[in-house]
Amino acid sequence: QVQLVESGGGLVQPGGSLRLSCAASGTIFSIHAMGWYRQAPGKQRELVAGITSSSGGSTNYIDSVKGRFTISRDNAKNTVYLQMNSLKPEDTAVYLCNVGTYYRGNYYPSNYWGQGTEVTVSS
């Protein structure tokens, strides 16, 4: 059984930074693509960033976070990260990591999700 555990969320002021971590177990981490999603109050869950399982570590981001967020992975530690800089109030959401796949350049989630870590950006 795959288990994903997120950490690193919290309360931060606008312009601040947070680094989220997602530790995976129960699977061969290095062969899977991984993604970070978020769900804000009143909004649909959306893909924030994805990273492939290939050695090249190709990444994709939604337009609203490009230049501010960076997804990375450490296969030796079975962990995927989301570095979030220049945070805005609209980034407030529960952030969840996911095991997924890439198909024709798009990320598709599996049914394996973490419980989420809450990020609140407020002054």
Side-chain angles (χ1 to χ4, degrees):
Q1 186 71 258
V2 175
Q3 184 179 29
L4 304 171
V5 180
E6 301 97 334
S7 62
L11 175 64
V12 65
Q13 293 184 336
S17 298
L18 286 173
R19 190 194 193 199
L20 307 183
S21 299
C22 173
S25 62
T27 187
I28 304 174
F29 180 80
S30 62
I31 69 173
H32 297 294
M34 299 291 294
W36 282 99
Y37 284 72
R38 68 185 180 188
Q39 188 162 20
K43 293 187 176 181
Q44 204 166 357
R45 185 176 297 180
E46 64 178 350
L47 177 67
V48 177
I51 185 167
T52 66
S53 61
S54 65
S55 297
S58 181
T59 58
N60 297 98
Y61 304 89
I62 56 171
D63 289 342
S64 61
V65 307
K66 287 181 178 177
R68 300 190 297 119
F69 290 12
T70 302
I71 187 172
S72 62
R73 65 191 297 161
D74 187 337
N75 288 342
K77 296 181 178 179
N78 289 355
T79 302
V80 63
Y81 305 95
L82 186 67
Q83 178 67 47
M84 305 185 295
N85 299 325
S86 302
L87 284 162
K88 304 175 180 179
E90 51 262 44
D91 295 319
T92 296
V94 174
Y95 285 73
L96 309 99
C97 70
N98 172 260
V99 176
T101 57
Y102 269 94
Y103 181 69
R104 295 181 176 178
N106 296 314
Y107 183 89
Y108 295 87
S110 71
N111 61 348
Y112 293 108
W113 298 87
Q115 291 296 306
T117 185
E118 189 171 321
V119 172
T120 302
V121 185
S122 177
S123 60

